Amino acid sequence: MTDRVSDTSSPIGLIAGGGVLPFAVADSLTARGLKPVFFALKGVCDPERVSHFPHHWIAVGQIGKVVRLLRAENCRDLVFIGTLVRPALSEIRLDWGTIRVMGQVLAAFRGGDDHLLSGIGRILERDGFRMMGIKDIAPDLLMPAGCLTRKTPDRSAAADIAKGLDVLRALSPFDVGQAVVVIDGHVIGVEGIEGTDALLARVAQLRAEGRIRTKAARGVLVKAPKHGQDLRYDLPTLGPQTIENAAAAGLAGLAVVAGNTLVAEPQALVGKADASNLFVVGLSA
Amino acid sequence: MTDRVSDTSSPIGLIAGGGVLPFAVADSLTARGLKPVFFALKGVCDPERVSHFPHHWIAVGQIGKVVRLLRAENCRDLVFIGTLVRPALSEIRLDWGTIRVMGQVLAAFRGGDDHLLSGIGRILERDGFRMMGIKDIAPDLLMPAGCLTRKTPDRSAAADIAKGLDVLRALSPFDVGQAVVVIDGHVIGVEGIEGTDALLARVAQLRAEGRIRTKAARGVLVKAPKHGQDLRYDLPTLGPQTIENAAAAGLAGLAVVAGNTLVAEPQALVGKADASNLFVVGLSA
């Protein structure tokens, strides 16, 4: 599983934002004999947890500092990982390395979060680094194919899954629709930019209002990566919270395209799904 | 415009629920020398306004009574018009005419609102009546082609409209997606079963949260009837409230497929759109 990493003797740089994922990746690397080095974003990455790993603190905008530190650590492979709220311009600490490439950074900044990260990624790649995705460095954190839970989809749920995949396929040319909710053959909700949690909250609300008339524990959330999404920078993520929201929406389960979706805390996720009698299925891509 | 009505001497039966539309239809018929007779649903249809027209009061479930009254009034053409909240079973007043066709009514009831109405429509058609749509009896209330407002779509809005239509076309096989919001080429929101107002409220919310970064007065709501929708029973409707919600969502305007969408109060709608500097465009189907 480590054949995509250039050199197991040189450490892998984790440019780390918030949340639990950077540490899950670091643990996965360590378990496979690889060495993580954190480049932890100030005010975002968890200081207590990062203290257990080799790390440096950086601020957004310090591309020159990052490049210097990466070279000093002999890192060639890099990954961006963790949540990053778009920083206010006033929080950005510019350094000479950044000012040198300012034109490209500003162009990326104007393009939205995904483009900001991939823009900075391109700049770092021109400096000789290799931008990796979780898929490359920690494939064990990706959604596997098959059913993870005690509960499995019945025939009605299988039909809802097939319909949901059809809808996502139809939407894939439009850079929209990572997720859809189908209940008893009816397409109830389609995700725009609001995110999967907001979609599930909407379904819960429609149930509370009596707008969904089928009984609870029916219907499926079907989730797939967007067509053309650069999965090194923006991997769809599934966590215990997704299960809670799907249970609140009265669904029977979740079906997620395998291999391209990150599972934030797999044990907690499966435990919660079993406790709520929901199925979680990885679909072969 | 009256050639689709069987006989101008016999009155047209309006089985009328709530809202302003039944009266707009009645006014349209009267203006063209046709005679409306209301079969007004108790507790739903506005008693004050219906008092200005020939009318009978009916309760949900009284198919036998409706058939008797329709024959007494010499009505052959019927239309269902106005909002109808799904009644509680306890509110339904059954009569012998209904009990005779109970099996079909219950089957229709289980299928959801659209199917309930079209199921009852089929029963009435077997009794020799002709179910009409607004398209047939009051085509002047439908969205016309062309721009209704002082403001017209600029090049960016025209591109957003084209993209929105593409998305709705891709979704049309799935009985979903009467509306979509596109801003600067990005598909921001897709309507599921929550309705156009809820979609626009979501876009307003995403703007308030800073998740939409383009400035206000950009982007378009694009609206089309669902593929396979029986337009005699369930016509997409546009009203002044839609304009208010689109303005609150910070959009530049609305583009609506012409001919199949009902405009509830056209003057109020255009007045509000002009006051809010929004465009409203009817797209040739």
Side-chain angles (χ1 to χ4, degrees), chain A:
Chain A
M1 300 296 257
T2 61
D3 55 344
R4 297 175 104 161
V5 173
S6 341
D7 174 2
T8 58
S9 71
S10 64
I12 292 167
L14 307 183
I15 302 182
V20 300
L21 282 174
F23 308 105
V25 170
D27 288 339
S28 163
L29 290 172
T30 307
R32 283 172 293 125
L34 296 163
K35 302 183 200 98
V37 177
F38 277 79
F39 298 84
L41 281 160
K42 275 177 206 157
V44 187
C45 189
D46 182 339
E48 203 283 316
R49 297 195 69 173
V50 85
S51 69
H52 303 292
F53 296 94
H55 67 278
H56 303 278
W57 287 101
I58 57 168
V60 172
Q62 298 183 318
I63 296 179
K65 180 177 178 184
V66 168
V67 167
R68 250 186 344 267
L69 289 168
L70 286 166
R71 291 207 170 116
E73 290 281 4
N74 192 30
C75 287
R76 189 180 164 226
D77 294 318
L78 303 183
V79 66
F80 284 122
I81 178 70
T83 56
L84 175 58
V85 175
R86 191 183 178 77
L89 277 171
S90 62
E91 295 173 84
I92 295 178
R93 298 281 161 265
L94 296 178
D95 65 17
W96 281 110
T98 307
I99 288 166
R100 184 170 56 87
V101 293
M102 187 61 104
Q104 293 110 292
V105 172
L106 281 179
F109 197 83
R110 275 194 294 268
D113 283 337
D114 301 9
H115 302 111
L116 178 63
L117 287 187
S118 57
I120 293 172
R122 277 193 303 276
I123 292 164
L124 291 170
E125 289 199 317
R126 277 203 295 272
D127 275 340
F129 299 100
R130 196 160 77 150
M131 296 307 307
M132 310 290 278
I134 308 286
K135 282 187 78 153
D136 307 308
I137 64 159
D140 53 319
L141 297 179
L142 295 174
M143 181 72 189
C147 189
L148 306 187
T149 47
R150 282 199 294 269
K151 186 174 174 185
T152 56
D154 62 12
R155 198 147 57 145
S156 153
D160 286 348
I161 292 169
K163 186 155 207 172
L165 281 175
D166 284 346
V167 173
L168 294 178
R169 236 172 256 131
L171 282 172
S172 75
F174 303 105
D175 189 26
V176 65
Q178 287 189 294
V180 64
V181 170
V182 183
I183 303 178
D184 286 353
H186 299 289
V187 180
I188 299 296
V190 180
E191 183 178 329
I193 67 160
E194 72 277 16
T196 303
D197 288 340
L199 167 64
L200 289 171
R202 193 153 81 235
V203 175
Q205 176 73 17
L206 289 164
R207 268 210 201 270
E209 290 167 0
R211 302 270 306 274
I212 296 170
R213 298 204 189 89
T214 50
K215 55 185 184 227
R218 289 193 78 81
V220 180
L221 173 80
V222 186
K223 199 168 154 71
K226 279 189 280 194
H227 184 78
Q229 190 169 13
D230 187 335
L231 297 168
R232 290 178 306 169
Y233 302 107
D234 180 25
L235 215 52
T237 301
L238 203 66
Q241 187 62 45
T242 322
I243 303 293
E244 274 178 36
N245 295 338
L251 300 182
L254 276 66
V256 180
V257 171
N260 289 319
T261 297
L262 205 52
V263 182
E265 297 162 272
Q267 282 189 314
L269 179 136
V270 171
K272 230 179 235 301
D274 280 338
S276 311
N277 198 31
L278 261 73
F279 63 77
V280 178
V281 169
L283 307 168
S284 307

Side-chain angles (χ1 to χ4, degrees), chain B residues 7 9-13 37 39 68-77 129:
Chain B
D7 174 2
S9 70
S10 64
I12 291 167
V37 177
F39 298 84
R68 255 189 338 271
L69 289 168
L70 287 166
R71 291 208 171 116
E73 290 280 5
N74 193 30
C75 287
R76 193 186 159 219
D77 294 319
F129 299 100

Side-chain angles (χ1 to χ4, degrees), chain B residues 233-247:
Chain B
Y233 302 107
D234 181 23
L235 215 53
T237 300
L238 203 67
Q241 188 62 46
T242 324
I243 302 293
E244 273 177 37
N245 296 339

Side-chain angles (χ1 to χ4, degrees), chain B residues 17-35:
Chain B
V20 300
L21 282 174
F23 307 105
V25 170
D27 289 338
S28 164
L29 290 172
T30 306
R32 284 173 294 126
L34 296 162
K35 302 184 199 98

